[in-house]
Amino acid sequence: MKLFNTLTSKKQVFKPLRSGKVSLYACGPTVYQSPHIGNMRSYLFEDILRRVLEYNGYTVKHIINVTDVGHLTGDGDIGADKVEESAKSKGVKASDVTKKYFDEFKTDMKALNILMPSKFAWATKYIPEQKKLVERIFSKKYAYETEDGIYFDTQKFGKYGKLGGLNKRDPEEMQSRTGVDPDKKHPFDFALWKFSIGPRLQEWKSPVDHKKMGFPGWHLECSAISTEELGQPFDIHAGGIDHVTTHHNNEIAQSEAAYGKPLANYWIHGEHLLMKDTKMSKSLGNVALLADLTAQGFEPLAFRYLVLTSQYRNRLNFTEDGLEAAQTALNKLRAVMAPRLKGGKVIEKYQKKFKTAVSDDLNTAEGLAVVWEMVKSKADVADVQATLLDMDQVLGLGLDKWKPAKVDKTVLELAEKREQARANKEWAESDRIRDEINKKGYDISDTPNGYQLFKRQ
Ligand code: AMP
Ligand code: ZN
């Protein structure tokens, strides 16, 4: 299996630390607002990564953290804590906010057929581990205290910014991303821990300076949780591409300064989902939620299909036409699966080709091309079904669970009329009937086994 490692900027043959086992850590959601489909693309990419690892015979220990404290507006060291701000504005407890949005996140994960991780690790459940890490970094003199917190001293850590080659870039440019905070010795320095200023809903006794109350910096939790759950180093650290610059360079600095060894061997990053060529992002106001798509009659799994059409390192433009095409393609695959035939055998030729494609840096676009090559071939339908089910372990389109919906009698009659029109080569009439079927809330797809009807949501 090959993966593009941001650490080396190369596609590398994947070798886990322990034979047959993979430790995988993925930066999870900050649970203060509804996840949008851009966020969900990242979790889909990580799900595909995990599924391809499992398809290659590995047992995967998969940790996703849940950020319920410390993530400040603007991702830097100044501004409000996103969870605190949301809870205070609503006059509720922090845990009311985090529970609500975590539940929404999990609902979206399930709808998208994303496998649940081995563990969701909540930042507030790892406060002792985070404090211990700060004390260790401090005792090794990689940190200093200011009025408002405990900061990591990036200038003492010679390798700062190695991820994505940032250390080779213009320092001026790197400075511009962090803004100026008069308390810091250097603009790249970042908060390991912040002291409470004014009343807070969530706060703890600070490490180092036990008299003050405070809370962990956002980057700290990922270092503390991943090491606690997976050891150091572990195999794969995954996340969205926007995390390379700051968040992941900071995680590396913290963990390597504390323990003098790498945090993770492979750093894998997924590209963004775009809306009209711009990153989908809450702050730009160009987001869509999964619920918006279902309200338009699309299924969550159609969005999953759309994501599969693009390899994770490519940006993907979200359009309604793209989603419509994905829904149609998904329905066609389901039509191939119905009726379910027994005794099919996996067709080795296509399985091998598919596995090679998806194992080459998760090239699901190529994997889908193999799927369609097989579906359009003259191969035995039962064998095609068996092979599709095998491939669906990676695709995750739920083909094993899918069952044709009950169809209204009038729609069935229309479908039969359309079959007759097609048999008589009356194409205009057949198209007219298709429109009528669509108007009644159904899609129709033609397969070697006849037609298949789908109820729109
Ligand atoms: P957040 O909850 O804001 O910390 O973001 C959760 C994850 O979603 C992070 O890994 C981000 O990289 C990712 N993300 C945010 N916006 C997008 C986008 N437009 N496309 C893909 N991933 C995104
Ligand atoms: Zn992280």
Side-chain angles (χ1 to χ4, degrees), residues 380-420:
D380 177 77
V381 179
D383 292 349
V384 168
Q385 289 186 351
T387 317
L388 260 180
L389 284 180
D390 176 78
M391 294 168 171
D392 202 39
Q393 294 172 74
V394 169
L395 303 173
L397 294 169
L399 296 178
D400 52 341
K401 291 183 218 105
W402 180 79
K403 283 197 192 74
K406 277 215 173 90
V407 178
D408 292 351
K409 207 166 145 247
T410 49
V411 176
L412 270 179
E413 282 164 10
L414 282 170
E416 288 300 331
K417 248 172 88 185
R418 181 171 166 276
E419 276 298 276
Q420 202 51 54

Side-chain angles (χ1 to χ4, degrees), residues 307-347:
V307 167
L308 289 167
T309 61
S310 171
Q311 194 242 15
Y312 75 101
R313 285 204 296 126
N314 295 317
R315 290 179 184 170
L316 172 63
N317 235 323
F318 175 77
T319 62
E320 210 178 299
D321 285 353
L323 189 61
E324 182 80 54
Q327 179 76 65
T328 304
L330 173 63
N331 285 348
K332 281 204 173 127
L333 287 185
R334 288 166 167 171
V336 175
M337 294 304 298
R340 191 66 64 84
L341 303 172
K342 291 216 169 79
K345 288 190 194 67
V346 171
I347 310 168

